[in-house]
Amino acid sequence: MTDMQPLRSFNHILLVILLPLFLLGSCADERTEQEMMESARLFLSNHDTRSASIEIRNTLKKNTDNAEARFLLGKINYSNNYLAGAEKEFKRALKAGWDPAQIYLELARTLLANNEYKKLLDEVKVDDDWPESYRADITALRSLAEEALGEHESAVTTLKKSQALDDDSLYVLIASARLQMSEAFEGDAKDTIDKALALYPDDLEILILHAMNDVLNSNKHRAIETLKKVIDTEASGNLSRQVRKARIELALIYMSIDQYQSAEKTLARLLKKDYRDPIPNYLKSLIAFKQGDYRKAELHMRNLLKLAPGHNQSQQLMGNIKYALHDFGQAANHFTVSLNETPDKQTVYKLLSRTYIELKNYQLAKTTVNAALNMDPADAESISLLSQLKFLTGETDDAISTVTTALSKNPENPLLIKQLASLYIEEGETELALQHINNYQRLTGDEDETVRLTVRAHLISGNVIPALSLAEQHLSDNPDNPDNHSLVGNLYANNKNYSTARTHFKNALELKPEYPPALLGLALIEDEQGIYEKAISLYKHYAIYYLNDITPFIALSEIAKKQNLTDVMLY
């Protein structure tokens, strides 16, 4: 009997703890639908969507056909960016008898947010018996769907119809400003947004649009402050769709001004909420790519492609990452996949063409660049690529003619000028090359590329001293750029001044640890001086970043031959 006593005591304690919970559950079940819905509305007024959702679901347990509950649950799902769930609940609310004008307005918002433009146009209609404000807003949202599908004239016509119904309606103003920002509609977006802010000062979508228009007008500081105001509205534990969008837009601004740490911090909240969210994952990969950390970018992108294989920008970014890692075969594969997913096919054709050039598959490169030119015969980048291909296949005169003809129609285009300068450099026409390099600098102000082109022009013509002098002066003006140290290091190494070259490569690595060009430069010096142990280590280190670059493998093979070794190339 004594052995049973502790068990009985435990059961007694457990009953004492659980009894109030059972009683509470019983009390909750006894509330009416109206009481639970009143509680849900109170929670929503305090921006507590989580508690409101619980109350609404309790209501639906009592009555699955409660139209208001379905409608409000749809709005909560929309706010939480669960768009498929929002659409489902709105359609259930319609079937249960909720006001169709309200339903179709929310359905239009949901389908537009989910990029289902054709579905919006097919399924969301406007009834002449509905209030004008609803008809105006739904019509305006239809205009945005038409614009997204490239139906510009129809979009403008539809927007004008919405303005005729009620030009003060929220989504009429939003649609007007968005089309004005893209220059698809007459009028000044700023004036429209100012009007919207006066009428709807607390609307988060208007505030976000205000910030986006400030970015277009180069007022990024004010845009940042506006987006922070939107983010500050986030209720505890509830990350709304608008706050999510504000965080994404803020991260993009930080990235555009190279504040990558701030961008990552801004995105962290979104990933904490949902680690599978494709856009913040994509942006984290893009941040790593822009910082030159291609392996980190690749790791993020692999995870994203597992989570969201259909994310249409991911394949293109992965192609760019693979290209930067010199894995041109894989780059071509990813670009080819993205060609089927992206509306911007011209950009992908150009990326593919560059990749095929690196693979020395000039026929495919020509086919893809011609596809890009068919879409826009005057595109300077495509013309430059075609010129480069002609040069690589021995058609030098045609290569120069292709660019000069294009320049006669567009004489101030920096891409064409740069391409012509590059052709003259390779032909040893230094004076002509320098003239075009100076024009390029005048138009772009790009000192780094100007120096790189000028140094190469001098080296090709055998003028090492002016090349070195220019590179050293550029380094003196920009001492914190590892590229400049590597450039000077390579010039000294080429001149057999290994001691000074080694110093510059090490300086580059201090500024940017694991910097691949500096690793390779040091490896080549150690190899040349017979310091094979260091050379082997550096070549292997470099190969971690560029697995598909055969340079370190050839060098390791040569070292192995010199030392009669067979295991130098093993990893």
Side-chain angles (χ1 to χ4, degrees), residues 50-98:
R50 182 177 297 173
S51 298
S53 180
I54 293 170
E55 292 288 61
I56 290 168
R57 292 180 190 281
N58 286 334
T59 303
L60 290 170
K61 287 177 184 177
K62 280 184 172 291
N63 178 10
T64 58
D65 293 328
N66 186 304
E68 184 187 8
R70 292 290 179 194
F71 179 72
L72 292 179
L73 187 56
K75 292 191 74 169
I76 290 171
N77 285 341
Y78 176 87
S79 178
N80 290 336
N81 208 40
Y82 177 30
L83 300 177
E87 180 186 354
K88 185 194 307 181
E89 294 301 334
F90 289 136
K91 288 180 176 179
R92 286 176 174 174
L94 182 65
K95 188 177 179 181
W98 196 253

Side-chain angles (χ1 to χ4, degrees), residues 340-359:
N340 299 321
E341 299 175 349
T342 179
D344 186 11
K345 295 188 185 300
Q346 186 184 14
T347 296
V348 181
Y349 278 132
K350 289 184 284 188
L351 291 168
L352 261 175
S353 185
R354 290 189 184 281
T355 306
Y356 287 136
I357 287 172
E358 295 293 345
L359 291 168

Side-chain angles (χ1 to χ4, degrees), residues 389-423:
L389 275 165
K390 288 181 176 180
F391 178 79
L392 291 169
T393 53
E395 305 170 58
T396 305
D397 291 342
D398 278 351
I400 293 173
S401 175
T402 296
V403 183
T404 52
T405 300
L407 272 172
S408 68
K409 300 173 184 176
N410 191 2
E412 296 285 279
N413 187 281
L415 273 176
L416 296 173
I417 292 169
K418 177 183 170 182
Q419 175 62 18
L420 192 55
S422 299
L423 291 170

Side-chain angles (χ1 to χ4, degrees), residues 26-68:
S26 175
C27 291
D29 288 342
E30 290 176 0
R31 290 186 299 164
T32 66
E33 290 178 48
Q34 291 76 14
E35 288 172 333
M36 286 188 281
M37 289 304 299
E38 186 177 345
S39 175
R41 291 187 213 102
L42 181 60
F43 282 127
L44 285 175
S45 68
N46 291 318
H47 307 290
D48 187 352
T49 57
R50 182 177 297 173
S51 298
S53 180
I54 293 170
E55 292 288 61
I56 290 168
R57 292 180 190 281
N58 286 334
T59 303
L60 290 170
K61 287 177 184 177
K62 280 184 172 291
N63 178 10
T64 58
D65 293 328
N66 186 304
E68 184 187 8

Side-chain angles (χ1 to χ4, degrees), residues 332 349 352-353 356-357 359-370 389:
Y349 278 132
L352 261 175
S353 185
Y356 287 136
I357 287 172
L359 291 168
K360 295 184 169 50
N361 191 334
Y362 300 134
Q363 187 57 50
L364 274 177
K366 189 170 285 188
T367 299
T368 50
V369 78
N370 281 332
L389 275 165

